[in-house]
Amino acid sequence: MRFRYSRGWLFLVMALCMRKMERLMFKWVDEAVIYGIRNVDAKHEEFMNDVKELRKSMMEHFEFLKTRHEKMEEEAMGIKMEEEAMRIKMNEEMIESYNMIWFY
């Protein structure tokens, strides 16, 4: 003898099975979302560390450039002072040579 299920009974069994599968699926989705969030947090932390290292190296480079610029300005100022001293000395020598020509 063949056992026959009514339609209502089959739908009820299918609905219960689907509900159980949905719970499992939601559990897997929740776990996947949590896993994804943890991965994003780890990547974000790594990115922030990279940014901090880049900022530190850039600040060190700017400090180096600043000291280099200051040294170059000091050297340029020294050269200008030497140039002015040479100009004054040349003017004095020219005046002496003119005086020597006129007074001899």
Side-chain angles (χ1 to χ4, degrees), residues 24-93:
L24 282 174
M25 190 167 300
F26 284 129
K27 183 178 178 184
W28 292 335
V29 169
D30 289 344
E31 289 173 357
V33 168
I34 291 170
Y35 178 76
I37 290 171
R38 287 183 182 150
N39 281 341
V40 168
D41 285 342
K43 293 285 184 183
H44 180 261
E45 190 68 30
E46 182 180 334
F47 178 72
M48 291 303 294
N49 289 335
D50 289 345
V51 168
K52 286 177 185 177
E53 288 177 17
L54 178 65
R55 183 174 185 217
K56 183 180 176 184
S57 68
M58 292 300 293
M59 293 302 288
E60 290 173 357
H61 184 68
F62 286 139
E63 286 296 321
F64 169 74
L65 291 176
K66 182 179 175 183
T67 56
R68 186 174 169 193
H69 184 267
E70 289 171 354
K71 287 180 183 177
M72 289 176 69
E73 282 183 340
E74 289 173 4
E75 288 177 7
M77 190 62 99
I79 291 171
K80 283 182 182 179
M81 292 176 72
E82 288 176 9
E83 183 182 316
E84 187 64 30
M86 287 176 67
R87 191 174 291 137
I88 290 171
K89 185 177 179 183
M90 285 176 58
N91 285 340
E92 289 173 356
E93 288 176 359

Side-chain angles (χ1 to χ4, degrees), residues 13-24:
V13 170
M14 285 176 52
L16 288 174
C17 289
M18 288 178 69
R19 183 171 285 168
K20 187 174 182 181
M21 285 175 50
E22 285 178 358
R23 276 192 230 133
L24 282 174

Side-chain angles (χ1 to χ4, degrees), residues 1-6:
M1 180 160 122
R2 206 165 170 202
F3 186 72
R4 295 190 84 144
Y5 293 103
S6 67

